[in-house]
Amino acid sequence: MDYKETIAYIHAMPKFSRKLGNTMLRRLLECLGNPQDELRFIHIAGTNGKGSVAAMLAKILSCAGFKTGLFTSPYIERFNERIRIGDQQISDTELSEIVTGIRNVIEKEKTEVSEFALDTAVAFCYFAKEKCDLVVLETGLGGRLDATNVISKNLVTVLTAIGLDHTQYLGDTIEKITAEKCGIFKPGCPVVSSPGQEVEVCRVIRQYADEKNVPLFFAAMPEWEDEKVLYGGHIYQLGLEGTFQAENAAVVIEAVQQLRKQGFIISEEALRRGLAETKHVARFERFGGNIILDGGHNPQAAEKLCESLRQLKKPVYFCTAMMEDKDYIHCAEIFAEIAAGAITTQIDMPRCCHAQNLAFAFEKYGVRAIPVTDPEKAVLKALKMAEKNGIVCICGSLYLAGNLRPFLKKMFT
């Protein structure tokens, strides 16, 4: 298969049409020689912040001299973003060769898997082939039944902030969702979790930690000022913007401490460099000074995003699209607290909320909202509305971010 055929084959795999579970993936991996057993993992689950935490950890470990694999989801513009070693994405050729080999095994052994399970198998094969020292592994959905949870052991488990999302798959209460995330705990493997979690979340995490007999560490609440984090008596410069990154950085620092306890040499210089040099697209990403692109798509992320936008002390105009299965009405309510105006749009996906319906949600909370169905025209309309002194915040969906990021790059390069 060439690259185009490879991507088409990956996307042709079922997403949620099969029952959640990893029986077929385990069979496939066994046929591939269980590449995951050759690797050492830092496993990350949570509702918000997983991608940023994964990016920071991978950068720090690379700065410390480890050949570090990184598996994240979803991608923004190109599939290859999801599978990286250091700063280098998997090449088109490598991806095609690995997927072709796996396809041959699937057809021979009748081990059909979901799209995400296939992606996970590809990452394991690539990282094992390249003999990575460490792999930062981000879950896709939940934890207990997530494809990444086929690993039998890991060095550190990380739980980022947990909130209500994917309730149709993970449960309709915060306790049920937390329990699913805790499903990645491994006996004896230390767990590091975000500060400031809800009481119910902390209770469930502690319960599962006791049952699995794992050491549990909650990061302390950091202080934040001028893109710098004060934590543990030290000041750290962050490469990622947004006040919400302070809590993510605290989790990362605690995870590094756990790795150090296990004998991994990670200098203070590597920690500082890694935090300062981390880049992660569509997470409070700036374009041209007055455009911010963010993938936040649930109420918890919306709250954190608004906290960061308030720090800018400028009028904020939202340009947003959201999926219908997300709590877009609550998100609109949160955005409305700081919005000077809003442009609502939509992308060509069956799940996407119609721009007019999203505009109604904003107007319900007193914000003038104009529906513009074409995303690029929506951005231009928002820029005109904001004029020179306002901020345009494009948010609501990582799919929207992926749709508009190439357009923004052309505008400002």
Side-chain angles (χ1 to χ4, degrees), residues 2 8 47 49 57 61 168 231-232 236 242-243 248 253 263 283 290 339 356 367 388 405:
D2 62 19
T47 304
L57 274 171
L61 296 174
Q168 67 271 46
Y231 191 79
Y236 300 94
T243 57
N248 291 334
I253 294 166
R283 274 71 171 184
N290 67 330
Q356 184 65 71
V367 174
K388 291 183 179 180
R405 195 167 186 271

Side-chain angles (χ1 to χ4, degrees), residues 32 59-60 67 98 124 127 132 204 221 236 258 265 285 290 292-293 319 338 349 391 413:
L32 294 168
K59 187 64 178 181
I60 290 164
K67 188 172 187 178
I98 292 174
F124 290 160
F127 295 145
C132 286
V204 174
M221 187 62 73
Y236 300 94
Q258 294 306 312
I265 299 173
E285 183 180 13
N290 67 330
I292 291 170
L293 181 68
C319 177
I338 66 167
M349 289 182 67
I391 294 289
T413 53

Side-chain angles (χ1 to χ4, degrees), residues 1-15 75 79 95-96 99 103 115 118-119:
M1 290 188 292
D2 62 19
Y3 181 74
K4 186 176 180 181
E5 291 169 332
T6 297
I7 296 301
Y9 176 76
I10 290 171
H11 292 328
M13 289 291 182
K15 288 182 170 59
Y75 64 89
F79 179 89
L95 180 63
S96 297
V99 173
R103 182 193 64 177
E115 181 178 342
L118 173 62
D119 301 341

Side-chain angles (χ1 to χ4, degrees), residues 16 42 55 65-66 83 90 105 142 183 196 204 236 268 271 278 290 326 335 351 412:
F16 301 111
I42 297 93
F66 296 103
I83 302 172
I90 187 172
V105 172
V204 174
Y236 300 94
E268 190 65 18
L271 173 59
T278 300
N290 67 330
K326 301 297 180 182
F335 293 146
R351 292 169 48 217
F412 296 100

